[in-house]
Amino acid sequence: MSDRGHAEIKNTSDTSHHDHRQGTHSRRSSPLDAETKLIANANAKLANPLRGIPRDELMRNVDTFAEEKGLKHLSDDLRKGALVAQNPAAFESLDMLDETEKNCLREEITHKWKQPWTLYYMVIMSSMAAAVQGMDEAVINGAQIIYPKQFGIGSGSLHDSVLIGMVNSAPYLCCAVIGCWLTDPLNKALGRKKTIFVTCAISFLTCIWSAFTNTWWHLMIARFCLGFGIGPKSATVPVYSAECSPAAIRGALVMMWQMWTAFGIMLGDLIDLAFYFVPNKPGATGLNWRLMLASAGIPGLLVCCQILWAPESPRWLIGKGRYEDAFNELCRLRFSKVQAARDLYYIHVLLEAENEVKKGRNRIKEMVTIPRNRNATIAAGIVMFGQQFCGVNVIAYYSSTIFVQAGFSQVSALLSSLGFGLINWIFALPAVFTIDTFGRRNLLLFTFPWMAVCLLITGFSFWCKTQKGLVAGVSIGIYLFGVFYSPGEGPVPFTYSAEAFPLYIRDIGMSYATALTWLFNFVLAISFPPLLKSFKPQGAFGFYAAWCLILWVLILLFVRETKGKTLEELDQVFAVPAHVHAAYGLRQIPYGIRKWVLRQNVQAEQLYEMEDDSIPDDLSKKEDVVHQETVSDQV
């Protein structure tokens, strides 16, 4: 990447789309600034630390590595693996590989979903871990139409509404201020597997604890402690999945976190409906809502049971110097020893390169002081904030309350909430394909206005004078909201945040992004009950509809497209000054009107474009993408 030079950024600050198409006023900006070039060089080194090393030198390095790490019995496999890692696209020409080994490497491309059972076993475990937080959001949704009266906070007053919001939001306050920041020390001390085991055990125990509370403040404390399980788990499981997965399907497997969170919401809504009919028993008042809250811990218990047989993260084992164990785990996750040796040696040199790049740098400071990084921080913050303030978790937490206010019976409200959960999950399934087909930014720009419309339909339906009209309007608004949210703002934020930051600060960037989304999850959960009380459903839903429109503008101005970009191209995209990108976003409005409304034949403006002599050939670009995928989902 760095061998080919850096592309200049093309912008047309004061040009219409028509003028740009004619080329009458287009101009090129100055080359990348020095700081961004340093980042690009660091990315190049981290993208493939083996590139450019002569074959003889590479073989000597491998032999030295094998001797130092006690892996001399694997020397032949490591030599083959190092050559494949150096140039993944050229394995067919390597005479050291036999036909069986080449076929395994070939099938990584032609049959990318053909993987060992152990890998899919790990994915199943990850999906159960994701379901914990989805179920918690759903079961508290059902329980809150029951427990407030038992605890003396169900009068509907503003005071009681605030207390209900505090109880509901307690886990996510803990996640934002404490839980997420425990991820790194827990992982360093325990490893991925044990961290997931401990946090899932905490999730299970605190859910059971919640079921035995008898005051609102006791329930709030129990739910706050649940954040110690949800926070580190939500950051660790995607990392664990990424570090165990092959590059060809890593992005899809990491995205499963969001999809199975949606599944957990649906399952929690189903459990709410099933347990609603459980009668009280002597000494067990409110048995129905207690069972709802306790059930959210069951997926965590299942994870604790099955993780004992799952592989440990090879990257974590290598970081601890346990190379033999790492190779054995990789053999469980890959079909051939050559694949395992390739990944083992590549992870080793990558970790060494990372340590060298990070040396002497204040990475937290550089998140905001370097313009390229600052632009990524702003964009990731917008999409993470938007995932909460688009209003989705208002529905996830309070749909049952909303349906009751719309005149539904409690049973009908729970059944209607189940419908939303089902739609949310079903329409999350296509996101695996649409996110790379239509692009992250385009999906957000298309879906946010429709989400605003759906929220307005929901809120304004409360002005309907007939019961049937009210019920129909609320149902249609909430269900259509799920249709537009699930393929857009549902999967985009975590995927976008994981790729926007340069590799050397990506772990810190994702910690910031994760903590941010949990913080605003807390703000949303605690603020909606008093908002609903003070401004009625019309004002409450109108508030979040307004935020959808504000977020549309912020995305238009400050969120850059990252779909299908190599590391070099991402540096160019985020190196475009914020004011230049904002002006470009504003120019897209008349372009959209002319193209999609007036149906004129206009060409889209290209804000950044690589010079012809700096565009890598297909083989090299493919190699860049392969190696970017190898490290891009490490957080």
Side-chain angles (χ1 to χ4, degrees), residues 156-221:
S157 65
L158 181 60
H159 173 268
D160 287 355
S161 297
V162 171
L163 294 182
I164 293 172
M166 290 174 60
V167 171
N168 294 348
S169 61
Y172 308 104
L173 174 63
C174 179
C175 287
V177 300
I178 305 175
C180 288
W181 304 104
L182 294 177
T183 303
D184 188 56
L186 283 174
N187 277 270
K188 284 182 178 178
L190 303 177
R192 311 293 190 236
K193 277 176 57 174
K194 291 180 182 177
T195 296
I196 295 171
F197 178 88
V198 168
T199 53
C200 284
I202 291 173
S203 297
F204 170 71
L205 293 174
T206 51
C207 286
I208 299 299
W209 178 11
S210 298
F212 285 91
T213 57
N214 285 302
T215 61
W216 67 265
W217 56 265
H218 189 189
L219 178 59
M220 184 179 68
I221 292 172

Side-chain angles (χ1 to χ4, degrees), residues 328-613:
N328 292 335
E329 296 290 36
L330 281 166
C331 286
R332 297 176 62 193
L333 294 163
R334 306 290 184 264
F335 279 121
S336 70
K337 286 188 175 182
V338 168
Q339 292 169 301
R342 172 199 62 191
D343 293 348
L344 179 79
Y345 188 68
Y346 181 75
I347 294 170
H348 163 72
V349 296
L350 178 64
L351 286 172
E352 288 193 333
E354 286 180 357
N355 292 333
E356 183 179 342
V357 167
K358 295 174 183 177
K359 192 178 299 181
R361 306 183 76 154
N362 187 333
R363 293 182 295 152
I364 295 177
K365 180 181 178 181
E366 289 188 7
M367 278 185 64
V368 294
T369 57
I370 296 179
R372 183 261 181 264
N373 297 348
R374 183 168 62 245
N375 292 332
T377 301
I378 292 171
I382 288 171
V383 295
M384 281 298 201
F385 170 80
Q387 189 171 61
Q388 302 304 324
F389 267 66
C390 70
V392 65
N393 281 332
V394 164
I395 299 173
Y397 287 128
Y398 299 108
S399 61
S400 296
T401 301
I402 295 163
F403 283 123
V404 167
Q405 289 202 8
F408 287 65
S409 67
Q410 289 189 345
V411 175
S412 297
L414 294 174
L415 188 60
S416 300
S417 295
L418 173 61
F420 171 76
L422 185 62
I423 288 173
N424 189 29
W425 181 57
I426 290 175
F427 282 89
L429 297 175
V432 176
F433 309 101
T434 58
I435 196 169
D436 285 318
T437 303
F438 299 106
R440 288 76 158 132
R441 184 171 183 265
N442 289 335
L443 278 173
L444 297 178
L445 289 175
F446 174 75
T447 55
F448 263 97
W450 291 109
M451 287 193 289
V453 170
C454 294
L455 291 173
L456 290 176
I457 291 173
T458 304
F460 292 173
S461 295
F462 282 87
W463 274 316
C464 188
K465 296 182 179 179
T466 65
Q467 184 65 27
K468 287 185 178 180
L470 173 58
V471 169
V474 171
S475 301
I476 291 172
I478 286 179
Y479 290 163
L480 286 179
F481 179 91
V483 170
F484 287 109
Y485 167 82
S486 296
E489 186 62 6
V492 166
F494 276 86
T495 302
Y496 190 93
S497 299
E499 62 195 2
F501 295 99
L503 297 177
Y504 82 104
I505 63 166
R506 188 159 287 172
D507 53 348
I508 295 176
M510 271 303 288
S511 294
Y512 146 79
T514 306
L516 190 70
T517 197
W518 288 129
L519 173 64
F520 285 108
N521 187 310
F522 161 74
V523 172
L524 180 144
I526 196 174
S527 64
F528 187 72
L531 188 70
L532 191 64
K533 175 68 177 176
S534 300
F535 295 98
K536 308 302 179 186
Q538 297 92 326
F541 281 98
F543 175 78
Y544 287 106
W547 270 113
C548 284
L549 297 178
I550 293 170
L551 283 161
W552 185 86
V553 174
L554 293 175
I555 291 163
L556 182 74
L557 300 182
F558 301 112
V559 174
R560 296 111 193 279
E561 183 56 72
T562 59
K563 181 198 77 170
K565 299 285 194 300
T566 64
L567 289 169
E568 182 180 46
E569 292 165 339
L570 284 173
D571 285 333
Q572 296 172 64
V573 168
F574 285 101
V576 174
H579 71 278
V580 173
H581 193 278
Y584 159 74
L586 291 175
R587 291 194 299 274
Q588 285 189 300
I589 297 175
Y591 161 77
I593 295 173
R594 293 172 63 186
K595 182 174 180 64
W596 302 110
V597 179
L598 302 179
R599 312 301 294 178
Q600 295 180 0
N601 183 22
V602 290
Q603 184 176 336
E605 174 185 350
Q606 299 299 318
L607 181 64
Y608 17 76
E609 180 177 292
M610 298 182 70
E611 296 285 3
D612 292 340
D613 60 358

Side-chain angles (χ1 to χ4, degrees), residues 169-317:
S169 61
Y172 308 104
L173 174 63
C174 179
C175 287
V177 300
I178 305 175
C180 288
W181 304 104
L182 294 177
T183 303
D184 188 56
L186 283 174
N187 277 270
K188 284 182 178 178
L190 303 177
R192 311 293 190 236
K193 277 176 57 174
K194 291 180 182 177
T195 296
I196 295 171
F197 178 88
V198 168
T199 53
C200 284
I202 291 173
S203 297
F204 170 71
L205 293 174
T206 51
C207 286
I208 299 299
W209 178 11
S210 298
F212 285 91
T213 57
N214 285 302
T215 61
W216 67 265
W217 56 265
H218 189 189
L219 178 59
M220 184 179 68
I221 292 172
R223 287 183 55 75
F224 183 88
C225 292
L226 175 60
F228 290 106
I230 291 179
K233 174 173 59 62
S234 66
T236 300
V237 173
V239 173
Y240 177 68
S241 299
E243 292 176 346
C244 291
S245 303
I249 59 172
R250 180 172 293 115
L253 294 187
V254 173
M255 278 184 60
M256 294 295 177
W257 173 264
Q258 180 63 33
M259 189 179 75
W260 290 103
T261 298
F263 176 80
I265 292 174
M266 182 199 70
L267 185 59
D269 288 331
L270 179 61
I271 286 173
D272 287 344
L273 186 63
F275 285 147
Y276 179 81
F277 299 98
V278 174
N280 292 330
K281 301 291 184 182
T285 304
L287 187 58
N288 48 4
W289 67 261
R290 296 178 188 279
L291 290 174
M292 292 175 189
L293 296 184
S295 67
I298 299 301
L301 178 62
L302 295 176
V303 172
C304 289
C305 294
Q306 69 177 4
I307 200 173
L308 301 175
W309 290 274
E312 180 55 276
S313 163
R315 180 183 170 97
W316 183 83
L317 290 169

